[in-house]
Amino acid sequence: MKHKVMLVEDEEALALLLKYNLEKEGYEVLWEARGGKVIAEIEKNLPSVIILDWMLPELSGVELCKMIRSKPDIKAIPVIMLTAKGEEEDKIKGLSSGADDYVTKPFSIPELMARVKSQLRRAPEPKEEKELIFEDIRMDLVGKKVYRGENYIHLGPTEFRLLRMLMENPEKVFSREYLLKNVWGDNIYVESRTVDVHIRRLRKSLNEFGPDYIRTVRATGYAIDKNMIEDEEE
Ligand code: CA
C-alpha cells in the first residue's frame, strides 16, 4: 500500500512541484490549497504524514496543527511545517503548534523528501483496516456503522468512538481518564462520570441484540470482554 501524504500549500507552483516529486517517490498525494477543509480531509483520508504551510488562506498552519493535535483520531499523524524565510523558526516553535519538524523556505527538494522519509519511518505502516469484529459485534470503519449479527445498531458519534477504542483492544481495561482524553480529546472539559453516561447508552444500544460484553471494572474503568465479570453494577 502506498503512503498517503497530505500537502497543504497555497502556492500552486510550489505545490505542483512537491506533488510531482512526492509521487515520484511513490507516495499518493492529497493536495489542499486552503485551510478550511483540511481537517475534514485528514479525518477522511488518514494520511501517513502532513506537510503544512504556515501561511495559508482561511486557517493558518499553526491553527491547523493545533486542531490536528486536539483530535484523537488524527493527533498521532506527523506534521512537517513549512515556514517562509523571515518567519523566525524560534517564534513559530514558541507558538507550540505541535509540529514534528520545521523546514524553512527556500528548501531543496531532496531535503524535504528526506524529512518526509524520516517522519514516515516513525509512522506505522498503512494498514487497511476496514472493520473490527468482537464476537457477534461488527464495526464497519469505512461506513461508520455497527452491526450485531444481522442487526444494525444505531450509535451516536461518542458511543461509536468509545466502542471503537474498546474493540481495538479487547480485554484491555481503560480508565475513565484515558477514555476521556482519547475519546473526547484534551481540550474538552467533561467530568469522568460522563464516561459512565455514554457507556450506559452504548450498552443499551448493543444489548438489545445480544449479551452484555462491556465489563465494568470497579474503581478502574471499562473493557470489552466476553468472559463477563460484572465487578460493579452501575
Ligand atoms: Ca503560503
Side-chain angles (χ1 to χ4, degrees), residues 52-226:
L52 194 53
D53 186 31
W54 190 37
M55 297 295 281
L56 287 169
E58 294 163 9
L59 281 166
S60 78
V62 172
E63 285 170 293
L64 284 169
C65 198
K66 284 184 179 166
M67 288 164 79
I68 293 166
R69 291 299 181 245
S70 74
K71 292 186 174 282
D73 292 356
I74 58 173
K75 67 197 281 185
I77 302 173
V79 174
I80 301 172
M81 187 87 83
L82 302 181
T83 66
K85 211 177 174 183
E87 300 159 358
E88 304 138 67
E89 206 174 322
D90 288 347
K91 197 170 101 192
I92 298 154
K93 280 184 182 164
L95 294 167
S96 63
S97 61
D100 296 274
D101 198 1
Y102 296 82
V103 177
T104 310
K105 291 179 188 175
F107 50 82
S108 74
I109 295 292
E111 184 194 350
L112 184 66
M113 295 301 133
R115 303 283 189 104
V116 169
K117 212 169 276 175
S118 138
Q119 291 302 326
L120 285 176
R121 229 173 277 137
R122 298 174 32 212
E125 279 297 306
K127 48 176 180 181
E128 218 172 344
E129 201 164 35
K130 293 208 171 104
E131 60 176 21
L132 293 170
I133 292 171
F134 184 86
E135 298 295 307
D136 60 340
I137 305 167
R138 184 166 64 85
M139 177 176 270
D140 167 4
L141 295 172
V142 181
K144 305 236 168 193
K145 291 191 173 92
V146 176
Y147 299 88
R148 191 141 201 202
E150 295 299 305
N151 306 293
Y152 168 69
I153 313 263
H154 178 77
L155 295 180
T158 304
E159 285 72 37
F160 185 91
R161 286 199 299 272
L162 260 176
L163 181 62
R164 179 175 182 166
M165 178 129 315
L166 298 176
M167 285 181 74
E168 278 175 342
N169 305 274
E171 290 171 37
K172 182 179 161 149
V173 180
F174 290 99
S175 70
R176 290 177 177 82
E177 291 67 33
Y178 184 93
L179 291 171
L180 274 180
K181 202 170 162 195
N182 290 281
V183 173
W184 277 264
D186 280 333
N187 298 342
I188 296 155
Y189 181 77
V190 273
E191 287 183 72
S192 66
R193 299 309 282 183
T194 307
V195 178
D196 303 338
V197 172
H198 287 271
I199 287 278
R200 210 171 297 142
R201 277 186 208 159
L202 177 59
R203 273 201 169 115
K204 190 162 179 269
S205 309
L206 281 178
N207 297 354
E208 210 179 311
F209 300 108
D212 187 4
Y213 287 140
I214 295 173
R215 179 180 164 202
T216 307
V217 182
R218 186 147 43 103
T220 310
Y222 297 100
I224 195 160
D225 193 339
K226 69 178 188 309

